[in-house]
Amino acid sequence: MTPALSTTSPATDGRPTGIADSSDPSDSAVPAGLPDLPELPELPELSTYSRLLDLLSADPAAYRTICHEPEGNTALASELRGHPLEQAAKSIVVRAKRSKQDGGGRYALAVVPGDRRVDLDAVGRALGSSRVGFADRTTAERLSGCASGSIIPFSFHPELELLVHHELLIHSHLYFNAARLDRSIELRTAVYKTLAQPQVLAIAA
């Protein structure tokens, strides 16, 4: 299925034009050929979606919004968006503990290409810990501000460090769900690096 694409312009403050945004009931413009999508409930991730678009609006020509059927699986979302899997930014929240007794620990958002997996040992070395695992779903959604399957490769939370695998950044553009299962972003990689300011490391296996 071919996704419906929208463009941005300064006049819309970086928000997509020509699509119906379920966070704004007054927006009823839907491009021809776009299938009827289920209305999304008012979830916390919609605020992250708005915050992301506000951030990207600094350079509207650097990105485009892609509207598609709701999908949180990286491989399936990449097919809907129409790009190679290795250009997908797969974002996973991980937790590093100093010891078994460490009730807190450090959290990081590990971003790797869609065709790779997170190397927890490498993340542990970056965070100075030998005890690293995936954060539980509740914590991951709280820190990222996104529902599972729609986590963006940006951190808006002070407790969430951003680590990006270096090979993801060799592409001219990267793709990711935009804090919503039915919206994705194609973003110029150079602009992503400037805006996100990630730690660039080798963290994929």
Side-chain angles (χ1 to χ4, degrees), residues 1 3 14 45-46 58 60 69 77 84 109 112 114-115 127 129 144 147-148 162 171 187 190 197 200 205:
M1 172 181 169
E45 67 264 27
L46 295 183
E69 293 180 354
L109 182 62
V112 300
D115 62 341
L127 299 178
S129 172
S144 67
S148 179
L162 180 58
H171 306 287
L187 178 61
Q197 294 291 305
V200 181

Side-chain angles (χ1 to χ4, degrees), residues 34-204:
L34 180 65
D36 291 333
L37 299 178
E39 288 294 322
L40 295 184
E42 293 295 328
L43 297 175
E45 67 264 27
L46 295 183
S47 64
T48 303
Y49 170 75
S50 298
R51 189 169 182 178
L52 173 65
L53 292 187
D54 286 342
L55 177 64
L56 297 181
S57 68
D59 190 354
Y63 80 100
R64 64 172 175 163
T65 304
I66 304 172
C67 178
H68 54 76
E69 293 180 354
E71 182 55 65
N73 178 277
T74 302
L76 295 179
S78 296
E79 290 182 10
L80 290 173
R81 294 186 297 244
H83 64 82
L85 186 55
E86 58 265 26
Q87 285 185 260
K90 182 165 61 177
S91 303
I92 300 173
V93 179
V94 298
R95 179 186 183 188
K97 299 176 65 174
R98 290 183 294 274
S99 66
K100 289 184 178 180
Q101 292 72 37
D102 184 359
R106 296 168 64 185
Y107 289 93
L109 182 62
V111 183
V112 300
D115 62 341
R116 307 285 291 276
R117 60 182 178 82
V118 176
D119 184 339
L120 292 177
D121 289 337
V123 172
R125 289 191 292 272
L127 299 178
S129 172
S130 60
R131 298 179 179 276
V132 182
F134 299 113
D136 63 85
R137 180 170 180 166
T138 299
T139 301
E141 293 184 344
R142 176 178 64 83
L143 293 175
S144 67
C146 305
S148 179
S150 69
I151 296 178
I152 61 176
F154 290 85
S155 175
F156 294 140
H157 197 290
E159 296 178 14
L160 189 62
E161 302 178 49
L162 180 58
L163 312 177
V164 177
H165 185 65
H166 65 102
E167 291 179 339
L168 177 64
L169 305 179
I170 66 175
H171 306 287
S172 62
H173 293 78
L174 51 84
Y175 299 79
F176 53 91
N177 274 54
R180 290 178 57 163
L181 295 175
D182 65 345
R183 298 289 188 273
S184 289
I185 295 291
E186 176 193 57
L187 178 61
R188 206 179 297 162
T189 303
V191 173
Y192 168 72
K193 290 166 62 177
T194 298
L195 294 176
Q197 294 291 305
Q199 298 181 55
V200 181
L201 305 163
I203 57 168

Side-chain angles (χ1 to χ4, degrees), residues 5-20 27 29 31 63 65:
L5 305 182
S6 63
T7 58
T8 58
S9 66
T12 58
D13 295 326
R15 295 182 182 280
T17 60
I19 61 173
D27 183 1
Y63 80 100
T65 304

